[in-house]
Amino acid sequence: MSGLASESSALGTLLTLPVLLPMLGAALTVVGSRSAALQRIVGIVVLVAVAAIAAVLLVVADHSGPIVEDLGGWAAPIGIALVADRLSALLLLVSTLVTLAVLVYAIDQRITDYGRGTASTTFHPMYLMLCAGVSLAYLTGDLFTLFVAFELMLTASYVLITRRTSAKRIRAGMTYVIVSLMSSLLFLTAVALVYAATGTVNFAALAGRMELIPPGLRTILGLMLLVVFGIKAAIVPLHFWLPDSYPNAPGPVAALFAGLLTKVSFYALLRTQTLLFPREGPWTLMLVLAVLTMLVGALGALAQNDLNRLLSFLLVSHIGFMLFGLAVFDAASVSGAALYAAHHITVLATLFLVSGLITRRTGTVALDRMGGLLHEAPVLAVLFAIPALTLAGIPPTAGFVAKLGLLQAGAAAGPWPAVVAGVVILASLLTLYALVRVWVRVFWGGVKPPIPDDDPNDEVAVGTARSSVPMYAATAGLIAASLAIAVFAGPLSALTGRAGADLINREPYIAAVLGTSR
Amino acid sequence: MVTINLAMAVLIAVLYAVGFFLLMQRSLMRVLIGVVVLGHGTNLLLQLVGGPPGRAPIVGSAPNDAFADPLPQALALTAVVITFALTTFLLALGYRSFVLVGHDEVQDDVEDARIARQQIQDDEP
């Protein structure tokens, strides 16, 4: 064992930084909690650094296979391994760019402080801890560390969603916390049962040992993990908590949650199901869940009058698109799901940020009390229109590119996946319809006066026409990222194609993790 | 063939049942107790899956097959800390709810109920 520590390369050290840097930054922002300026600089510098590291990891992982670091020099499967393959590095990069933009927006909206320029001890540390949890969830190579990563991420999110609560927010916060806690305890139970059945929690080792246990037991373990990640990723019928809680969080926090949390859970689902429970051909149960999720989400969105709730239902609906990619279970469809996840992270965060900008101007999230913003704020109309068309998947946006991959893979996989591919198109049309309704109500029609701030002590200033450049710039930056996905669709889908092939093939991942101990 | 302790298995089942029952309650304090009980059940399960008890796993102190499995204990230790932190957080949340709203009941989705009411009104002529 003694020789292993010296073998860890500079690249391996780099692999730990996306987790360690945000934690260090969180500590710094607690220590320096008297200076709002210091907190802001630390937050932004840390996230820029993590994004740069993620980019390096992505390039290296794509060029020369998965990067593995055995923490503390204990080789897998005994020690804890961090692994960056194409999929995790890509999602880490996209997620970090989104967290960076949302942080800039949040700082400018001043929800990070107690009042003007007064530092808060909670926002920045919790934000950075959440980022550390997200990075760890993407990079971890074992099931228990995945549990710890989720706890890190969720505990930070509990604080962010219940921070400086109003009566309305505490009700939503309670629902969110209790549902998440229950799924976490189920996760822990699943980890215990997996360990009881196989004697390891390392993904790569599990991949081999899962084949040795009875098929019935394997199915039960797979279904338990499906329920656990299904609650966290808001798969219908386990989605009900999401449209209740997210809309009550402050704009940037809702954007962060909508962009990241469900997608991290989907990543965990994708990783565990492809690596531990490989199957031949389409997965019928998952096809059914995908159809339910797409339709319930899209139809639920049509009934809403609250802009943020509408976006939350659309978020649920589009989780179904990714589930469809997983359900078809071949290299092309999994690759489509990965590309869709990257697109979905950016576009949902953008839409929630734009919703925050709209709310700031109108003073309300109720669609029937808004109107005529097209003449009042044409920039806002553009900022809403582009991500809305992207989410609906109109060519030539990123949403279309991502969906096309899914549809092609589904159509090629047999009659039932082809039918579900039809549901994907139907759900896209319903999404477009819901967003056109938002457009008509918010941007067209007679100008309605902004509603005065009913709670001036609340951190979110509403009913003000004062434009704030960094908030618009952060939103525009995310839109640019989304457009970049469309422009570089060729190289990106080639990359996710290789990532999808790796996921189905499994060998590169297993060899990279266990190979170091041989 | 490793056998498991039936009494432990029954105890864990009871703890899970009680925990989930309490999670379904309205009062956040009962939910809190439910989380604690469920947490205990999960930690006991982690101990149970570690196999039969044995000697402290320190290399060289006993033959290798006499050791207890240390990994589930490490997992349980981590889980205990996390459950503890979340218990205190839930207590704080319950207190905040009591201060703001006057009770600690977990309520239904208000906007969802409003939309459902509106549909009924729309249907009536």
Side-chain angles (χ1 to χ4, degrees):
Chain A
M1 282 298 159
S2 58
L4 282 172
S6 56
E7 280 174 26
S8 65
S9 57
L11 209 56
T13 314
L14 205 59
L15 193 53
T16 60
L17 289 182
V19 184
L20 292 182
L21 279 183
M23 284 190 179
L24 200 64
L28 264 180
T29 50
V30 172
V31 173
S33 61
R34 291 180 166 225
S35 161
L38 175 77
Q39 288 187 323
R40 291 169 191 174
I41 293 169
V42 167
I44 290 174
V45 166
V46 162
L47 290 180
V48 168
V50 172
I53 292 166
V56 172
L57 291 178
L58 178 59
V59 171
V60 176
D62 188 34
H63 186 253
S64 50
I67 312 161
V68 181
E69 167 73 359
D70 297 316
L71 296 181
W74 292 87
I78 294 174
I80 296 170
L82 292 185
V83 190
D85 65 351
R86 293 183 176 112
L87 175 68
S88 50
L90 173 69
L91 290 181
L92 180 64
L93 177 62
V94 175
S95 301
T96 311
L97 290 177
V98 168
T99 49
L100 182 61
V102 173
L103 182 64
V104 170
Y105 183 103
I107 287 173
D108 193 52
Q109 202 185 12
R110 303 199 175 282
I111 76 155
T112 58
D113 316 326
Y114 278 133
R116 276 192 152 284
T118 325
S120 145
T121 47
T122 49
F123 186 87
H124 283 279
M126 286 305 131
Y127 196 94
L128 289 173
M129 284 312 267
L130 194 143
C131 295
V134 169
S135 301
L136 187 58
Y138 283 140
L139 295 178
T140 182
D142 81 71
L143 198 57
F144 188 76
T145 312
L146 185 65
F147 167 74
V148 175
F150 268 106
E151 285 313 297
L152 199 56
M153 185 173 93
L154 290 174
T155 310
S157 78
Y158 301 155
V159 179
L160 286 177
I161 205 170
T162 55
R163 193 174 156 268
R164 266 188 286 162
T165 38
S166 56
K168 191 178 79 176
R169 201 171 285 163
I170 202 148
R171 186 196 62 74
M174 274 183 187
T175 313
Y176 175 71
V177 172
I178 294 169
V179 171
S180 303
L181 263 179
M182 197 201 67
S183 79
S184 295
L185 286 169
L186 271 181
F187 192 0
L188 196 56
T189 310
V191 172
L193 294 178
V194 166
Y195 185 77
T198 62
T200 181
V201 286
N202 180 283
F203 282 150
L206 276 174
R209 293 199 195 169
M210 276 291 172
E211 286 159 14
L212 305 177
I213 66 176
L217 186 57
R218 192 165 65 227
T219 309
I220 288 175
L221 294 177
L223 287 181
M224 265 195 99
L225 287 175
L226 171 62
V227 170
V228 168
F229 298 130
I231 295 174
K232 292 176 200 285
I235 297 174
V236 173
L238 304 169
H239 71 291
F240 52 88
W241 57 272
L242 190 145
D244 186 16
S245 55
Y246 281 14
N248 288 308
V253 173
L256 179 72
F257 288 9
L260 293 186
L261 299 189
T262 47
K263 257 64 68 186
V264 175
S265 309
F266 175 73
Y267 164 80
L269 187 65
L270 189 61
R271 175 70 74 198
T272 50
Q273 296 295 339
T274 51
L275 197 55
L276 310 188
F277 310 100
R279 56 181 65 237
E280 299 290 325
W283 184 5
T284 317
L285 171 67
M286 190 52 93
L287 277 178
V288 173
L289 290 177
V291 169
L292 277 178
T293 309
M294 283 188 277
L295 290 183
V296 170
L299 293 174
L302 293 179
Q304 305 304 319
N305 186 41
D306 175 328
L307 179 55
N308 284 336
R309 277 179 72 92
L310 187 143
L311 292 178
S312 301
F313 271 100
L314 288 181
L315 161 67
V316 172
S317 168
H318 286 244
I319 294 287
F321 288 39
M322 286 175 256
L323 295 181
F324 171 55
L326 175 59
V328 175
F329 229 95
D330 60 23
S333 75
V334 170
S335 137
L339 186 58
Y340 204 88
H343 141 75
H344 196 256
I345 292 173
T346 42
V347 74
L348 253 300
T350 318
L351 278 172
F352 271 92
L353 290 185
V354 175
S355 155
L357 290 173
I358 293 175
T359 315
R360 193 182 172 86
R361 201 167 241 288
T362 58
T364 176
V365 284
L367 292 173
D368 54 5
R369 297 170 77 179
M370 308 181 191
L373 271 190
L374 186 59
H375 304 289
E376 296 268 289
V379 178
L380 211 49
V382 174
L383 288 183
F384 176 79
I386 299 173
L389 291 176
T390 307
L391 184 65
I394 304 297
T397 60
F400 175 72
V401 175
K403 202 160 51 190
L404 189 64
L406 280 176
L407 290 177
Q408 283 173 336
W416 284 113
V419 170
V420 181
V423 179
V424 168
I425 296 174
L426 177 65
S428 305
L429 290 176
L430 288 172
T431 304
L432 184 63
Y433 178 53
L435 289 167
V436 165
R437 276 179 77 229
V438 173
W439 175 266
V440 169
R441 290 190 179 186
V442 176
F443 293 100
W444 283 353
V447 177
K448 292 183 186 165
I451 290 158
D453 202 343
D454 57 347
D455 184 9
N457 293 324
D458 198 0
E459 66 265 31
V460 185
V462 294
T464 168
R466 185 184 72 89
S467 68
S468 156
V469 177
M471 278 168 80
Y472 281 89
T475 316
L478 277 185
I479 292 176
S482 172
L483 291 178
I485 293 181
V487 172
F488 297 106
L492 258 178
S493 57
L495 173 70
T496 57
R498 293 192 291 274
D502 281 357
L503 279 176
I504 296 298
N505 182 12
R506 305 198 295 160
E507 278 310 317
Y509 186 94
I510 298 171
V513 175
L514 296 183
T516 50
S517 65
R518 279 175 201 147
Chain B
M1 185 70 198
V2 181
T3 54
I4 62 162
N5 186 335
L6 184 66
M8 279 281 273
V10 171
L11 176 64
I12 290 168
V14 170
L15 287 176
Y16 267 84
V18 171
F20 273 112
F21 176 76
L22 286 171
L23 270 185
M24 300 296 157
Q25 304 294 307
R26 284 277 172 184
S27 161
L28 195 64
M29 282 307 110
R30 292 187 186 191
V31 171
L32 174 81
I33 296 169
V35 168
V36 171
V37 171
L38 199 54
H40 286 325
T42 321
N43 287 325
L44 274 180
L45 180 67
L46 276 170
Q47 293 306 305
L48 187 63
V49 304
R55 301 285 299 276
I58 299 167
V59 178
S61 67
N64 279 352
D65 53 357
F67 290 143
D69 186 350
L71 188 72
Q73 301 185 9
L75 303 188
L77 198 60
T78 316
V80 165
V81 176
I82 291 174
T83 322
F84 172 67
L86 292 176
T87 307
T88 53
F89 181 79
L90 270 185
L91 273 173
L93 194 64
Y95 177 70
R96 185 78 73 86
S97 170
F98 184 75
V99 169
L100 282 173
V101 197
H103 58 75
D104 69 342
E105 292 200 350
V106 182
Q107 292 155 313
D108 288 334
D109 188 344
V110 183
E111 175 75 6
D112 195 45
R114 196 192 64 76
I115 291 170
R117 263 200 317 279
Q118 192 182 16
Q119 302 296 58
I120 294 166
Q121 281 164 1
D122 290 349
D123 291 344
E124 285 169 1

Short mmCIF file of all heavy atoms in Angstrom, two decimals, chain A residues 143-187:
data_model
loop_
_atom_site.label_atom_id
_atom_site.label_comp_id
_atom_site.label_asym_id
_atom_site.label_seq_id
_atom_site.Cartn_x
_atom_site.Cartn_y
_atom_site.Cartn_z
N LEU A 143 -20.82 3.84 -3.94
CA LEU A 143 -22.22 4.11 -3.64
C LEU A 143 -22.38 4.88 -2.34
O LEU A 143 -23.22 5.78 -2.24
CB LEU A 143 -22.96 2.76 -3.55
CG LEU A 143 -24.47 2.78 -3.65
CD1 LEU A 143 -24.92 3.42 -4.94
CD2 LEU A 143 -25.02 1.37 -3.55
N PHE A 144 -21.56 4.56 -1.32
CA PHE A 144 -21.75 5.25 -0.05
C PHE A 144 -21.30 6.71 -0.15
O PHE A 144 -21.93 7.61 0.41
CB PHE A 144 -21.00 4.54 1.08
CG PHE A 144 -21.34 5.12 2.42
CD1 PHE A 144 -22.56 4.84 3.01
CD2 PHE A 144 -20.48 5.98 3.06
CE1 PHE A 144 -22.90 5.39 4.23
CE2 PHE A 144 -20.82 6.55 4.28
CZ PHE A 144 -22.03 6.25 4.87
N THR A 145 -20.20 6.96 -0.87
CA THR A 145 -19.77 8.34 -1.04
C THR A 145 -20.81 9.12 -1.84
O THR A 145 -20.99 10.32 -1.63
CB THR A 145 -18.40 8.38 -1.74
OG1 THR A 145 -17.54 7.46 -1.08
CG2 THR A 145 -17.79 9.75 -1.67
N LEU A 146 -21.50 8.43 -2.73
CA LEU A 146 -22.60 9.07 -3.45
C LEU A 146 -23.68 9.52 -2.46
O LEU A 146 -24.22 10.63 -2.56
CB LEU A 146 -23.19 8.10 -4.48
CG LEU A 146 -24.27 8.68 -5.39
CD1 LEU A 146 -23.70 9.77 -6.27
CD2 LEU A 146 -24.88 7.59 -6.25
N PHE A 147 -23.96 8.66 -1.46
CA PHE A 147 -24.93 9.03 -0.41
C PHE A 147 -24.44 10.27 0.34
O PHE A 147 -25.21 11.22 0.55
CB PHE A 147 -25.11 7.84 0.55
CG PHE A 147 -25.82 8.19 1.82
CD1 PHE A 147 -27.18 8.41 1.84
CD2 PHE A 147 -25.11 8.32 3.01
CE1 PHE A 147 -27.84 8.74 3.01
CE2 PHE A 147 -25.76 8.65 4.19
CZ PHE A 147 -27.12 8.86 4.19
N VAL A 148 -23.16 10.27 0.70
CA VAL A 148 -22.62 11.43 1.43
C VAL A 148 -22.71 12.68 0.57
O VAL A 148 -23.09 13.76 1.04
CB VAL A 148 -21.16 11.15 1.86
CG1 VAL A 148 -20.55 12.39 2.51
CG2 VAL A 148 -21.10 9.98 2.82
N ALA A 149 -22.40 12.54 -0.74
CA ALA A 149 -22.46 13.69 -1.65
C ALA A 149 -23.89 14.24 -1.71
O ALA A 149 -24.11 15.45 -1.67
CB ALA A 149 -21.99 13.28 -3.04
N PHE A 150 -24.87 13.33 -1.80
CA PHE A 150 -26.26 13.77 -1.83
C PHE A 150 -26.63 14.49 -0.54
O PHE A 150 -27.33 15.50 -0.56
CB PHE A 150 -27.20 12.58 -2.06
CG PHE A 150 -27.50 12.33 -3.49
CD1 PHE A 150 -26.94 11.27 -4.16
CD2 PHE A 150 -28.34 13.17 -4.18
CE1 PHE A 150 -27.21 11.04 -5.49
CE2 PHE A 150 -28.62 12.95 -5.51
CZ PHE A 150 -28.05 11.89 -6.17
N GLU A 151 -26.17 13.96 0.60
CA GLU A 151 -26.48 14.60 1.88
C GLU A 151 -25.88 15.99 1.94
O GLU A 151 -26.50 16.94 2.38
CB GLU A 151 -25.97 13.75 3.04
CG GLU A 151 -26.81 12.53 3.28
CD GLU A 151 -28.29 12.86 3.29
OE1 GLU A 151 -28.73 13.62 4.17
OE2 GLU A 151 -29.00 12.37 2.40
N LEU A 152 -24.63 16.11 1.48
CA LEU A 152 -23.94 17.40 1.45
C LEU A 152 -24.76 18.40 0.62
O LEU A 152 -25.05 19.52 1.05
CB LEU A 152 -22.57 17.18 0.81
CG LEU A 152 -21.48 18.21 1.02
CD1 LEU A 152 -21.25 18.41 2.49
CD2 LEU A 152 -20.20 17.73 0.34
N MET A 153 -25.14 17.95 -0.56
CA MET A 153 -25.88 18.79 -1.49
C MET A 153 -27.25 19.16 -0.93
O MET A 153 -27.66 20.32 -0.92
CB MET A 153 -26.01 17.98 -2.77
CG MET A 153 -26.63 18.61 -3.93
SD MET A 153 -26.44 17.45 -5.30
CE MET A 153 -27.97 16.56 -5.20
N LEU A 154 -27.96 18.14 -0.39
CA LEU A 154 -29.33 18.38 0.08
C LEU A 154 -29.35 19.20 1.35
O LEU A 154 -30.21 20.08 1.51
CB LEU A 154 -30.05 17.05 0.29
CG LEU A 154 -30.36 16.28 -1.00
CD1 LEU A 154 -30.94 14.92 -0.69
CD2 LEU A 154 -31.33 17.07 -1.86
N THR A 155 -28.41 18.94 2.28
CA THR A 155 -28.42 19.71 3.52
C THR A 155 -28.21 21.18 3.20
O THR A 155 -28.88 22.06 3.76
CB THR A 155 -27.33 19.19 4.47
OG1 THR A 155 -27.47 17.79 4.57
CG2 THR A 155 -27.45 19.81 5.83
N ALA A 156 -27.27 21.47 2.29
CA ALA A 156 -27.07 22.87 1.88
C ALA A 156 -28.35 23.42 1.26
O ALA A 156 -28.73 24.57 1.50
CB ALA A 156 -25.90 22.96 0.91
N SER A 157 -29.04 22.58 0.48
CA SER A 157 -30.25 23.07 -0.18
C SER A 157 -31.37 23.30 0.84
O SER A 157 -32.17 24.21 0.67
CB SER A 157 -30.70 22.09 -1.26
OG SER A 157 -31.35 20.99 -0.69
N TYR A 158 -31.42 22.49 1.94
CA TYR A 158 -32.43 22.73 2.97
C TYR A 158 -32.25 24.14 3.54
O TYR A 158 -33.22 24.86 3.79
CB TYR A 158 -32.31 21.75 4.15
CG TYR A 158 -32.45 20.29 3.81
CD1 TYR A 158 -31.87 19.32 4.61
CD2 TYR A 158 -33.16 19.88 2.69
CE1 TYR A 158 -31.99 17.98 4.32
CE2 TYR A 158 -33.27 18.54 2.39
CZ TYR A 158 -32.68 17.60 3.21
OH TYR A 158 -32.79 16.27 2.92
N VAL A 159 -30.99 24.50 3.80
CA VAL A 159 -30.73 25.81 4.40
C VAL A 159 -31.09 26.91 3.41
O VAL A 159 -31.73 27.90 3.76
CB VAL A 159 -29.26 25.92 4.83
CG1 VAL A 159 -28.99 27.29 5.42
CG2 VAL A 159 -28.92 24.85 5.84
N LEU A 160 -30.71 26.72 2.14
CA LEU A 160 -30.98 27.76 1.14
C LEU A 160 -32.47 27.95 0.93
O LEU A 160 -32.93 29.08 0.73
CB LEU A 160 -30.31 27.40 -0.19
CG LEU A 160 -28.79 27.56 -0.24
CD1 LEU A 160 -28.25 27.09 -1.57
CD2 LEU A 160 -28.38 29.00 0.01
N ILE A 161 -33.25 26.88 0.99
CA ILE A 161 -34.69 27.01 0.68
C ILE A 161 -35.46 27.54 1.89
O ILE A 161 -36.51 28.17 1.74
CB ILE A 161 -35.28 25.67 0.18
CG1 ILE A 161 -36.52 25.94 -0.69
CG2 ILE A 161 -35.65 24.74 1.31
CD1 ILE A 161 -37.04 24.73 -1.42
N THR A 162 -34.96 27.33 3.12
CA THR A 162 -35.69 27.82 4.29
C THR A 162 -35.04 29.07 4.89
O THR A 162 -35.43 29.52 5.95
CB THR A 162 -35.74 26.74 5.40
OG1 THR A 162 -34.42 26.34 5.69
CG2 THR A 162 -36.55 25.55 4.98
N ARG A 163 -34.05 29.61 4.18
CA ARG A 163 -33.31 30.74 4.71
C ARG A 163 -34.21 31.97 4.76
O ARG A 163 -34.90 32.28 3.81
CB ARG A 163 -32.14 30.98 3.76
CG ARG A 163 -31.09 31.90 4.28
CD ARG A 163 -29.95 31.90 3.29
NE ARG A 163 -29.21 33.14 3.42
CZ ARG A 163 -29.47 34.21 2.70
NH1 ARG A 163 -30.42 34.19 1.81
NH2 ARG A 163 -28.77 35.30 2.89
N ARG A 164 -34.18 32.67 5.87
CA ARG A 164 -35.02 33.85 6.09
C ARG A 164 -36.45 33.60 5.64
O ARG A 164 -36.96 34.18 4.68
CB ARG A 164 -34.43 35.05 5.37
CG ARG A 164 -33.54 35.83 6.32
CD ARG A 164 -33.10 37.09 5.73
NE ARG A 164 -32.11 36.88 4.73
CZ ARG A 164 -31.80 37.77 3.82
NH1 ARG A 164 -32.45 38.90 3.78
NH2 ARG A 164 -30.86 37.52 2.96
N THR A 165 -37.08 32.71 6.36
CA THR A 165 -38.36 32.19 5.91
C THR A 165 -39.51 33.15 6.14
O THR A 165 -39.55 33.87 7.12
CB THR A 165 -38.68 30.90 6.68
OG1 THR A 165 -38.23 31.08 8.01
CG2 THR A 165 -37.99 29.73 6.07
N SER A 166 -40.44 33.10 5.24
CA SER A 166 -41.77 33.64 5.48
C SER A 166 -42.67 32.44 5.78
O SER A 166 -42.24 31.29 5.64
CB SER A 166 -42.26 34.38 4.24
OG SER A 166 -42.23 33.50 3.14
N ALA A 167 -43.90 32.72 6.18
CA ALA A 167 -44.82 31.62 6.51
C ALA A 167 -45.03 30.73 5.29
O ALA A 167 -45.09 29.50 5.38
CB ALA A 167 -46.15 32.18 7.00
N LYS A 168 -45.10 31.35 4.10
CA LYS A 168 -45.34 30.59 2.87
C LYS A 168 -44.16 29.68 2.58
O LYS A 168 -44.31 28.52 2.20
CB LYS A 168 -45.53 31.60 1.72
CG LYS A 168 -46.05 30.99 0.45
CD LYS A 168 -46.26 32.06 -0.61
CE LYS A 168 -44.95 32.43 -1.24
NZ LYS A 168 -45.04 33.38 -2.34
N ARG A 169 -42.96 30.24 2.76
CA ARG A 169 -41.77 29.48 2.39
C ARG A 169 -41.50 28.34 3.36
O ARG A 169 -40.97 27.31 2.97
CB ARG A 169 -40.59 30.44 2.33
CG ARG A 169 -39.46 29.92 1.50
CD ARG A 169 -38.42 30.98 1.28
NE ARG A 169 -38.84 31.97 0.32
CZ ARG A 169 -38.26 33.15 0.19
NH1 ARG A 169 -37.27 33.48 0.97
NH2 ARG A 169 -38.67 34.00 -0.71
N ILE A 170 -41.87 28.53 4.63
CA ILE A 170 -41.57 27.46 5.59
C ILE A 170 -42.46 26.25 5.34
O ILE A 170 -42.03 25.10 5.50
CB ILE A 170 -41.70 27.96 7.04
CG1 ILE A 170 -40.88 27.06 7.97
CG2 ILE A 170 -43.13 27.97 7.53
CD1 ILE A 170 -40.32 27.76 9.13
N ARG A 171 -43.68 26.49 4.86
CA ARG A 171 -44.57 25.38 4.55
C ARG A 171 -43.97 24.55 3.41
O ARG A 171 -43.87 23.33 3.49
CB ARG A 171 -45.94 25.92 4.12
CG ARG A 171 -46.98 24.86 3.92
CD ARG A 171 -48.16 25.40 3.14
NE ARG A 171 -47.77 25.83 1.81
CZ ARG A 171 -47.47 25.01 0.82
NH1 ARG A 171 -47.54 23.73 1.01
NH2 ARG A 171 -47.10 25.47 -0.35
N ALA A 172 -43.54 25.26 2.35
CA ALA A 172 -42.94 24.55 1.22
C ALA A 172 -41.63 23.89 1.63
O ALA A 172 -41.32 22.78 1.19
CB ALA A 172 -42.71 25.53 0.08
N GLY A 173 -40.86 24.59 2.48
CA GLY A 173 -39.57 24.05 2.93
C GLY A 173 -39.75 22.74 3.68
O GLY A 173 -39.00 21.80 3.48
N MET A 174 -40.78 22.69 4.54
CA MET A 174 -41.03 21.47 5.31
C MET A 174 -41.28 20.29 4.39
O MET A 174 -40.69 19.22 4.57
CB MET A 174 -42.28 21.66 6.17
CG MET A 174 -42.04 22.30 7.49
SD MET A 174 -43.65 22.30 8.30
CE MET A 174 -43.30 23.24 9.73
N THR A 175 -42.16 20.48 3.41
CA THR A 175 -42.46 19.39 2.48
C THR A 175 -41.18 18.90 1.83
O THR A 175 -40.91 17.70 1.76
CB THR A 175 -43.43 19.88 1.39
OG1 THR A 175 -44.47 20.60 2.02
CG2 THR A 175 -43.99 18.74 0.61
N TYR A 176 -40.38 19.86 1.35
CA TYR A 176 -39.15 19.52 0.65
C TYR A 176 -38.20 18.74 1.54
O TYR A 176 -37.68 17.69 1.15
CB TYR A 176 -38.49 20.82 0.16
CG TYR A 176 -37.16 20.64 -0.49
CD1 TYR A 176 -37.07 20.05 -1.73
CD2 TYR A 176 -35.98 21.05 0.14
CE1 TYR A 176 -35.84 19.87 -2.33
CE2 TYR A 176 -34.76 20.89 -0.46
CZ TYR A 176 -34.69 20.29 -1.69
OH TYR A 176 -33.48 20.11 -2.28
N VAL A 177 -38.01 19.23 2.78
CA VAL A 177 -37.04 18.60 3.68
C VAL A 177 -37.50 17.19 4.04
O VAL A 177 -36.71 16.24 4.01
CB VAL A 177 -36.85 19.47 4.95
CG1 VAL A 177 -36.02 18.72 5.97
CG2 VAL A 177 -36.20 20.78 4.59
N ILE A 178 -38.78 17.03 4.36
CA ILE A 178 -39.25 15.71 4.81
C ILE A 178 -39.16 14.68 3.68
O ILE A 178 -38.68 13.56 3.87
CB ILE A 178 -40.69 15.81 5.35
CG1 ILE A 178 -40.69 16.65 6.61
CG2 ILE A 178 -41.26 14.44 5.65
CD1 ILE A 178 -42.06 17.03 7.09
N VAL A 179 -39.57 15.08 2.48
CA VAL A 179 -39.51 14.14 1.35
C VAL A 179 -38.06 13.76 1.06
O VAL A 179 -37.73 12.58 0.87
CB VAL A 179 -40.18 14.74 0.11
CG1 VAL A 179 -39.93 13.87 -1.10
CG2 VAL A 179 -41.67 14.89 0.33
N SER A 180 -37.17 14.76 1.08
CA SER A 180 -35.76 14.46 0.79
C SER A 180 -35.16 13.57 1.87
O SER A 180 -34.39 12.65 1.57
CB SER A 180 -34.95 15.75 0.71
OG SER A 180 -35.48 16.59 -0.26
N LEU A 181 -35.51 13.85 3.14
CA LEU A 181 -34.99 13.03 4.24
C LEU A 181 -35.41 11.59 4.08
O LEU A 181 -34.61 10.67 4.27
CB LEU A 181 -35.54 13.55 5.56
CG LEU A 181 -34.67 14.50 6.36
CD1 LEU A 181 -35.40 14.93 7.62
CD2 LEU A 181 -33.39 13.79 6.72
N MET A 182 -36.68 11.38 3.73
CA MET A 182 -37.17 10.03 3.59
C MET A 182 -36.41 9.30 2.48
O MET A 182 -35.99 8.16 2.65
CB MET A 182 -38.66 10.02 3.31
CG MET A 182 -39.27 8.68 3.57
SD MET A 182 -40.80 8.49 2.71
CE MET A 182 -40.27 8.45 1.03
N SER A 183 -36.20 9.99 1.36
CA SER A 183 -35.49 9.32 0.27
C SER A 183 -34.04 9.05 0.67
O SER A 183 -33.47 8.05 0.27
CB SER A 183 -35.57 10.15 -1.01
OG SER A 183 -34.65 11.19 -0.99
N SER A 184 -33.45 9.93 1.49
CA SER A 184 -32.08 9.69 1.93
C SER A 184 -31.99 8.45 2.81
O SER A 184 -31.05 7.65 2.67
CB SER A 184 -31.56 10.90 2.71
OG SER A 184 -31.47 12.01 1.86
N LEU A 185 -32.97 8.29 3.72
CA LEU A 185 -32.93 7.10 4.58
C LEU A 185 -33.16 5.83 3.76
O LEU A 185 -32.56 4.79 4.03
CB LEU A 185 -33.97 7.24 5.70
CG LEU A 185 -33.54 8.25 6.78
CD1 LEU A 185 -34.68 8.57 7.72
CD2 LEU A 185 -32.35 7.72 7.56
N LEU A 186 -34.01 5.93 2.74
CA LEU A 186 -34.18 4.79 1.84
C LEU A 186 -32.88 4.48 1.10
O LEU A 186 -32.52 3.31 0.89
CB LEU A 186 -35.27 5.09 0.80
CG LEU A 186 -36.69 4.76 1.15
CD1 LEU A 186 -37.60 5.11 -0.01
CD2 LEU A 186 -36.81 3.27 1.46
N PHE A 187 -32.18 5.55 0.71
CA PHE A 187 -30.89 5.39 0.02
C PHE A 187 -29.92 4.61 0.91
O PHE A 187 -29.27 3.66 0.48
CB PHE A 187 -30.34 6.78 -0.32
CG PHE A 187 -29.17 6.79 -1.26
CD1 PHE A 187 -28.64 5.62 -1.78
CD2 PHE A 187 -28.59 7.99 -1.66
CE1 PHE A 187 -27.57 5.64 -2.66
CE2 PHE A 187 -27.53 8.02 -2.52
CZ PHE A 187 -27.00 6.85 -3.01
#
